[in-house]
Amino acid sequence: MIRILLAEDQGMMRSALALLLGLEEDIEVVAQVAAGHEIVPAALEARPDVALLDIELPGLSGLDAAAELRTRCPDCRVLILTTFGRPGYLRRAMEAGAAGFLVKDGPVEELAAAVRRVLAGERVIDPALAAAALGAGPSPLTPREVDVLNAAADGATVADIAARVHLSESTVRNYLSAAIGKTATRNRMEAVRAARRQGWL
């Protein structure tokens, strides 16, 4: 049996996925979690073969959890399953060690086949998303610009952002200005939205 850990914050979607995957003769869902910080502890306990992770989870993103799983549970293969087919997300998922990346609107047979393929050592990537990612190129944002934009996402003031990321206000302004330029936007909130659309945040 292929043992699956399922991380999805929407209860109905999680239950439906677990039910549908459970109908496959060779697949068993051994753990289900609703938040990112629950993934690694659940994996250490249940020892799944494959972890199916959503990206946008409370506590810790699926991408961050994938990177942690690579270190803590190296035998567990990671398959990212998301609503948001953004090129930057795909690139980040591959950097985090994910073996596959699929969008949620595909048929369950495709998902079951992808689980089997990643367990066999293959990489499984949504073809349309792979093409888009190749065309999009890498994120132009530096890690510090990403930190500052993330801190700005809730409309925080420069002083608030500076306190959160432990930088001076003038340095924060410089990073914001650079990020606005790189995203070709007019202000920090537009820069946040543009970076999210691309999957850079």
Side-chain angles (χ1 to χ4, degrees):
M1 290 293 279
I2 301 170
R3 296 165 61 80
I4 299 282
L5 178 149
L6 187 54
E8 164 64 58
D9 62 330
Q10 296 177 15
M12 194 178 291
M13 172 69 83
R14 189 173 61 251
S15 298
L17 279 170
L19 184 66
L20 290 167
L21 286 168
L23 295 174
E24 300 289 321
E25 289 182 5
D26 58 341
I27 293 176
E28 179 187 6
V29 177
V30 294
Q32 297 181 46
V33 298
H37 63 275
E38 299 173 340
I39 292 170
V40 171
L44 289 169
E45 186 177 331
R47 293 292 171 187
D49 301 306
V50 178
L52 278 179
L53 310 181
D54 190 11
I55 289 179
E56 299 199 352
L57 294 166
L60 187 72
S61 80
L63 298 175
D64 292 331
E68 206 176 318
L69 278 174
R70 183 171 55 177
T71 307
R72 306 278 303 278
C73 305
D75 295 335
C76 179
R77 306 283 284 163
V78 173
L79 183 56
I80 299 290
L81 188 62
T82 183
T83 307
F84 306 103
R86 297 173 181 157
Y89 278 169
L90 172 57
R91 191 174 293 275
R92 287 170 56 200
M94 296 300 106
E95 287 168 359
F101 193 107
L102 296 175
V103 288
K104 286 180 186 171
D105 58 4
V108 74
E109 295 81 17
E110 236 174 66
L111 177 58
V115 164
R116 295 180 189 106
R117 287 173 61 196
V118 298
L119 194 58
E122 291 181 48
R123 271 239 160 114
V124 181
I125 298 167
D126 182 270
L129 192 58
L134 286 172
S139 169
L141 300 173
T142 67
R144 265 316 203 178
E145 288 162 1
V146 168
D147 290 344
V148 168
L149 282 182
N150 275 323
D154 62 357
T157 65
V158 169
D160 290 339
I161 297 167
R164 287 179 195 171
V165 296
H166 310 293
L167 294 170
S168 71
E169 290 183 28
S170 61
T171 303
V172 165
R173 285 191 188 90
N174 289 340
Y175 281 130
L176 286 172
S177 177
I180 289 165
K182 289 176 181 179
T183 53
T185 52
R186 294 173 299 180
N187 58 54
R188 71 181 83 151
M189 293 315 293
E190 283 187 12
V192 168
R193 285 193 290 274
R196 280 188 172 157
R197 264 198 309 278
Q198 292 295 328
W200 297 336
L201 293 187

